[in-house]
Amino acid sequence: MTISAWRTRGGQERTVVTELIKPIYTAEATAVGGRDGHARSSDGKLDVDLRPPVEMGGSGEGTNPEELFAAGYAACFQSALAVVARRSKVSVDGSTVTGKVTIGTIEGGAFGLSVHLEVQIPDVDDATMCALIEAAHQVCPYSNATRGNIVVTLTAV
């Protein structure tokens, strides 16, 4: 377990606890200009212009952090679903996961996120589908990172 402590510019102490037993991969990306800028991964495979959506007063001409998070969470959850399905000897061929990330204000005037994942698994009964979704939510790294921090709603479609 790694515990790192640091102080904000205002002097507030923050502590971060990381419990990775065996790190597997580290993604690296750099953003310049915030929501109205550019982001690029260290390997160059992700290279995108960032623009606020129209709903936030922007042009909507690029992608935004919420879209990137929605895509990442949906893809990660889909992989977790495949893992738990394989363990249960159930086919999730043709399944889809749609991620919806909402940004809004929270108490104190700050901003927060919520996530809604819609999971569709053809040819699987409702009880099995719900069990697989719940199991995937326990396995998915994004679910583990967000658990207890933001509202994540799971819907079987």
Side-chain angles (χ1 to χ4, degrees), residues 15 44 50 95 149 151:
T15 303
L50 302 170
S95 63
N149 297 310
V151 174

Side-chain angles (χ1 to χ4, degrees), residues 142-154:
Y142 277 64
S143 293
N144 288 325
T146 58
R147 188 173 289 110
N149 297 310
I150 66 173
V151 174
V152 176
T153 305
L154 305 169

Side-chain angles (χ1 to χ4, degrees), residues 27 74 78 125 155:
Q78 176 79 40
D125 63 84
T155 303

Side-chain angles (χ1 to χ4, degrees), residues 51-124:
R51 298 293 180 266
V54 174
E55 295 84 351
M56 294 176 70
S59 68
E61 295 294 319
T63 190
N64 59 67
E66 291 71 37
E67 287 178 336
L68 295 170
F69 187 45
Y73 201 157
C76 190
F77 198 90
Q78 176 79 40
S79 292
L81 185 66
V83 166
V84 298
R86 194 168 37 255
R87 289 177 184 166
S88 301
K89 298 184 181 5
V90 176
S91 172
V92 291
D93 291 346
S95 63
T96 60
V97 177
T98 301
K100 298 179 181 183
V101 174
T102 302
I103 186 171
T105 57
I106 60 173
E107 198 171 315
F111 293 92
L113 300 173
S114 66
V115 173
H116 183 184
L117 297 178
E118 294 178 350
V119 182
Q120 183 176 20
I121 309 172
D123 305 321
V124 173

